[in-house]
Amino acid sequence: MIRLVGAAMIILGAGSFGVAKTAQFYRQQRQLRAFLNALEILQCELDYTLYPLPKLCRITAERCERVCADFLRRYADSLDGGACRSAAAREALIAVKCVLPPDACIAVLELFSALGRYDLEGETNLLKLTQYRLKAALERGETEKRPMVKGYAVLGLCTGAAVAILLV
């Protein structure tokens, strides 16, 4: 009986690693889509309003999903607190615990470090460039990782089953 319980625990433990990797992939893709949506909203607000950057971020945060909304609110609060743009963006990104790919994190940090420094045309170009980089990261994840995602969960369960068979 104890061996069976131990075998079940090994299978579940090994399987949970694969399931966690799968969940991280889906969370990453969801956050990339949320940031793309937030950038579209920010672009619209930027084009049609003349609000200062913190207020612009708060307005955008009201219409975004949770991670992006938290990021934009923290970023706006840091700017109101007197922090520089790059430090505010870095602190906000760390605080919300984004699981974006490294190249997407760099793109977001570069955007929010430079946002508010250029004229409207420069800001628009910067937003479009960042959207392009985030879309590229999203497509790369879809083509490279999607085929392996379900394999992670299966591999974890099979590894756990193999170890359990060897031990029992």
Side-chain angles (χ1 to χ4, degrees), residues 9-23 152-153 155-157 160:
M9 291 177 68
I10 289 171
I11 292 170
L12 289 175
S16 67
F17 286 116
V19 171
K21 188 75 170 169
T22 301
Y152 290 141
L155 182 63
L157 289 172

Side-chain angles (χ1 to χ4, degrees), residues 21 23 32 34 59 98 105 118 140 144:
K21 188 75 170 169
L32 278 169
I59 290 171
C98 284
C105 280
Y118 305 110
R140 192 173 42 257
E144 292 176 2

Side-chain angles (χ1 to χ4, degrees), residues 86-133:
S86 59
R90 190 173 38 258
E91 290 170 7
L93 201 59
I94 291 169
V96 296
K97 298 178 180 155
C98 284
V99 291
L100 297 175
D103 56 337
C105 280
I106 291 170
V108 169
L109 286 174
E110 287 176 356
L111 169 69
F112 284 97
S113 295
L115 202 60
R117 292 185 182 171
Y118 305 110
D119 61 340
L120 183 59
E121 186 178 334
E123 303 273 324
T124 301
N125 290 338
L126 190 61
L127 280 164
K128 285 180 182 178
L129 175 65
T130 305
Q131 286 175 336
Y132 174 77
R133 291 169 72 184

Side-chain angles (χ1 to χ4, degrees), residues 43-56:
Q43 176 68 47
C44 291
E45 292 295 330
L46 190 64
D47 286 342
Y48 298 110
T49 63
L50 296 174
Y51 293 131
L53 186 58
K55 185 171 183 175
L56 191 66

